[in-house]
Amino acid sequence: MKNIAILCSGGDVSGMNAALKRFVEYSFAKGLKPYFIEHGYEGLIDGRIHPAQYSDVAGIISRGGTKIQTSRSQRFMQKAYRKLALDNLRSHQIEYLVVLGGDGSFKGMQKLSEESEGISFSGIPSTIDNDIAGTSYCLGVDTALNVIKFSIDSIRDTASSFSRAFVIETMGRECGYLALVSALTSGAEMCLIPEIPYDLDSYKKSFKKQIEEGREYFIAVVSEAVKSSEQTAQWFKEELAIESRIMVLGHIQRGGNPTVHDRLMAFNFVTHAIDGLLEGKKSSVVCFSDCGFNHKPIDEIAFKKYQINEDLLKLGREYGSYK
Ligand code: F6P
């Protein structure tokens, strides 16, 4: 029986627990012995590795977060600690490692795979930021988008009752994907993301016209990446004489009951990861596109920049141009 381990690294996402459940069940189905590594790369360095059982994953599919916990490891950036991590994998005779994480985690996985022999790695893109090159979908994004949708729909009730502008800040680190999709699908009047240059004068012209036509409130979705929520709220007050409030959605976007889509994607990502390892893929990431799932070498993913799909950007460029 060969040994296979899984760890979660970086920001948690809803769907990680569904992935852990599938990992344990599919490993056993394939004749592998599954192991959990707790606290991500930190736990790997410290040897927090133990065999996983069916009972460990019973009842967790509906829970956000990750049962085996996660971390952002500074130590893992140093070769000496990665050596300890590899020694720990070897001492448990682990031949396969599945890593759920975002771009920082994949950079770590790329380094580890360069320094290891006899161990194969498979990455599963897992970040609400949806900013991994090579895949159009990362685990957790659908749940995050639904949390944002729910929040904006609720805020709209207050915005419309009070004639206010609400500036809603979404997560995304350097990437505007969450903000753009949320703005479009929530009917926001304004969307500020780093990928699209914006012109406040053109927004002002457009909004003044809308006010003349009877509009009483505004919803602005601003990505944390543009770092301008405060200024935007101020702008509504000063330039349009509209009372404004800021809602920083924060970590609420990362948690909660995973959507059906994320549960299913978790199952598919894990199935492809394990199949790829068994087929002999040494160091790859499971990616998703319109053509389905495929494996890409970690070197093609870890140091590349993600680009938001052009069709979405095209829709986003229409913001501020209401005539
Ligand atoms: O990468 C996921 C993410 O939630 C980003 O959107 C955000 O900028 C960051 O993590 C927050 O990190 P932390 O949980 O360490 O505060």
Side-chain angles (χ1 to χ4, degrees), residues 11 72 127-129 171-173 224 251 254:
R72 299 192 194 279
T127 167
I128 64 163
D129 302 342
M171 276 189 168
R173 203 180 290 272
E224 67 170 343
H251 291 79
R254 289 227 298 252

Side-chain angles (χ1 to χ4, degrees), residues 109-165:
M109 182 181 119
Q110 197 261 354
K111 284 262 166 250
L112 197 67
S113 66
E114 274 178 1
E115 292 157 7
S116 68
E117 257 184 43
I119 303 173
S120 304
F121 300 84
S122 185
I124 294 181
S126 311
T127 167
I128 64 163
D129 302 342
N130 210 38
D131 62 348
I132 307 285
T135 186
S136 62
Y137 191 76
C138 298
L139 192 62
V141 170
D142 189 58
T143 306
L145 286 173
N146 276 286
V147 169
I148 300 169
K149 181 201 72 164
F150 177 81
S151 310
I152 298 180
D153 288 351
S154 304
I155 289 167
R156 179 180 294 281
D157 294 344
T158 296
S160 58
S161 305
F162 265 100
S163 304
R164 277 178 181 167

Side-chain angles (χ1 to χ4, degrees), residues 32-58:
L32 299 165
K33 184 167 179 190
Y35 281 76
F36 282 161
I37 298 168
E38 290 170 349
H39 288 277
Y41 290 135
E42 281 291 291
L44 184 54
I45 292 167
D46 296 333
R48 299 181 63 166
I49 304 173
H50 62 82
Q53 316 294 341
Y54 286 120
S55 55
D56 291 321
V57 291

Side-chain angles (χ1 to χ4, degrees), residues 95-117:
E95 289 187 37
Y96 304 122
L97 178 63
V98 177
V99 174
L100 272 75
D103 58 345
S105 314
F106 288 168
K107 284 182 183 123
M109 182 181 119
Q110 197 261 354
K111 284 262 166 250
L112 197 67
S113 66
E114 274 178 1
E115 292 157 7
S116 68
E117 257 184 43

